[in-house]
Amino acid sequence: MVNESLVHPAPEESLGVLLGLVRSEIVRAMEAELAALGVELRFTQFLILKRLARLGPMTASELARAVELDGGAMTRQLDQLEGKGYLRRCPHEQDRRALRIELTNEGNALWQQLTDCNERVLEAAQRSLSETERKHLHDYLTRVLHALRDKD
Amino acid sequence: MVNESLVHPAPEESLGVLLGLVRSEIVRAMEAELAALGVELRFTQFLILKRLARLGPMTASELARAVELDGGAMTRQLDQLEGKGYLRRCPHEQDRRALRIELTNEGNALWQQLTDCNERVLEAAQRSLSETERKHLHDYLTRVLHALRDKD
DNA sequence: GAAGTATATTTGTCAAGGCAAATATCGTGG
DNA sequence: CCACGATATTTGCCTTGACAAATATACTTC
């Protein structure tokens, strides 16, 4: 598969920089899209709700690990999301140290909007990539991630 | 009670998440590598020095735009980098509002270490990708970035 | 079952970056 | 020249996330 933009490469941005730029554009686009729908959520909060919606109730620690967020930061995000009424801290049945974090009805109702919104942003971002290219992009990034994590 | 799906995360991480994970691993690796060489620099500071080394002296505003950093944040980073002796704020010859930011000899000397370090980290990150795949990855990311910036 | 270790949550502290206001200077159109 | 809007830098304020300490509870080992 020949690609024209390989023939005229942009002034060489290093991978680290490029990743940062793309990510911050995606975050910006998502937050703007949400705000336009009247939903005031930061990207991190979107990620938290997404995990809960997809994986079901779990403890705050599991949630923190799932979104790679510090435990302390998670406590404060949960404060906010609970305050907005999207989730609830319930006592954990087997472990009295832990919490069972679950979406409220309102949180579940919001979820459809969030996932649609995410869909639109990712579609827009990748609109110049073919289906195959999208798969490759995902595959490459996954392999890079593994390379970085499994040192050697 | 541990949620098994957290141990083996779903194969499909969304692009936004994946980008964040890869970037934060690269940042972590770079900072660790630098620290191991006795150089205490944050990734942002590395980027600033990199721009200066590659593009030569410029104003603080130009530098801020080049690394996509807020002007206020740039002022504070310059304070630190000037304090460490890596750069210098000189008066701008044509514009008395502006500064001419330039690397010191020490800053230039550091540069070779930084670029070698960056080289090693990126090589390690992409070690499982062929030369062609690396080019494609870069190309895809560049196209995604353009798609996000040039709204339709 | 007691002691010691590991884990869950919360809270305090800190650095970084975004945004807005303040100040200085530039450049342009009367 | 003068007023006015744009730009450069700095500073203050706010939010976020990392890290560490404190507290409560679970688990493991003897």
Side-chain angles (χ1 to χ4, degrees), chain B residues 24 30 32 65 74 85 90 92 106 122 130 133 136 145 147:
Chain B
S24 78
M30 268 295 292
R65 283 190 292 269
M74 179 56 72
C90 304
H92 192 287
E106 195 177 348
L122 291 184
S130 72
E133 288 173 329
H136 281 149
L145 186 59

Side-chain angles (χ1 to χ4, degrees), chain B residues 60-61 72 75-76 97-99:
Chain B
S61 294
T75 292
R76 286 176 270 253
R97 293 169 302 177
L99 299 170

Side-chain angles (χ1 to χ4, degrees), chain B residues 99-118:
Chain B
L99 299 170
R100 175 188 159 95
I101 311 294
E102 59 183 35
L103 289 180
T104 59
N105 289 338
E106 195 177 348
N108 266 309
L110 181 67
W111 175 236
Q112 187 59 50
Q113 275 195 291
L114 296 187
T115 196
D116 288 351
C117 181
N118 191 35

Side-chain angles (χ1 to χ4, degrees), chain B:
Chain B
M1 160 97 115
V2 174
N3 189 334
E4 279 300 324
S5 48
L6 292 180
V7 181
H8 300 292
E12 332 185 2
E13 283 292 358
S14 86
L15 187 60
V17 175
L18 202 44
L19 288 168
L21 295 177
V22 174
R23 182 184 137 86
S24 78
E25 288 293 339
I26 289 182
V27 170
R28 190 171 347 213
M30 268 295 292
E31 291 179 353
E33 189 98 354
L34 287 173
L37 296 174
V39 179
E40 283 303 323
L41 275 189
R42 307 306 304 273
F43 191 70
T44 298
Q45 300 174 331
F46 157 71
L47 292 181
I48 292 170
L49 296 180
K50 175 179 168 183
R51 289 292 170 163
L52 279 176
R54 290 184 52 160
L55 301 179
M58 65 184 81
T59 72
S61 294
E62 289 168 337
L63 201 45
R65 283 190 292 269
V67 300
E68 301 250 314
L69 191 64
D70 172 79
M74 179 56 72
T75 292
R76 286 176 270 253
Q77 292 300 334
L78 292 179
D79 290 343
Q80 290 193 41
L81 291 171
E82 192 172 33
K84 289 173 198 261
Y86 295 136
L87 56 79
R88 188 164 35 224
R89 284 165 160 115
C90 304
H92 192 287
E93 285 160 9
Q94 286 84 38
D95 187 341
R96 288 196 302 168
R97 293 169 302 177
L99 299 170
R100 175 188 159 95
I101 311 294
E102 59 183 35
L103 289 180
T104 59
N105 289 338
E106 195 177 348
N108 266 309
L110 181 67
W111 175 236
Q112 187 59 50
Q113 275 195 291
L114 296 187
T115 196
D116 288 351
C117 181
N118 191 35
E119 200 73 34
R120 282 196 298 279
V121 170
L122 291 184
E123 170 56 35
Q126 301 179 90
R127 69 176 188 266
S128 77
L129 303 187
S130 72
E131 198 50 47
T132 306
E133 288 173 329
R134 294 179 192 196
K135 285 206 178 71
H136 281 149
L137 173 56
H138 197 281
D139 174 53
Y140 296 161
L141 289 173
T142 303
R143 284 159 63 193
V144 168
L145 186 59
H146 286 151
L148 284 161
R149 286 182 167 169
D150 315 340
K151 309 261 190 196
D152 73 1

Side-chain angles (χ1 to χ4, degrees), chain A residues 3 8 13 21-22 27 40 46 75 86 88 96 107 115 120 122 125 131 133-134 137 141 147 152:
Chain A
N3 195 305
H8 300 291
E13 281 291 359
L21 295 176
V22 174
V27 170
E40 284 304 324
F46 156 71
T75 291
Y86 295 136
R88 191 164 34 224
R96 288 198 301 167
T115 196
R120 283 195 299 278
L122 291 184
E131 197 51 47
E133 289 172 329
R134 295 179 193 196
L137 173 56
L141 288 173
D152 80 354

Side-chain angles (χ1 to χ4, degrees), chain A residues 18 33 35 41 43 50 55 60-61 79 82 84-85 88 92 97 102 114 124 130 132 139 141 144 149:
Chain A
L18 203 44
E33 189 99 352
L41 275 189
F43 191 70
K50 175 179 167 184
L55 302 179
S61 295
D79 289 343
E82 193 172 32
K84 290 173 197 261
R88 191 164 34 224
H92 193 286
R97 293 168 304 178
E102 58 183 35
L114 296 187
S130 71
T132 307
D139 175 52
L141 288 173
V144 168
R149 286 182 166 168

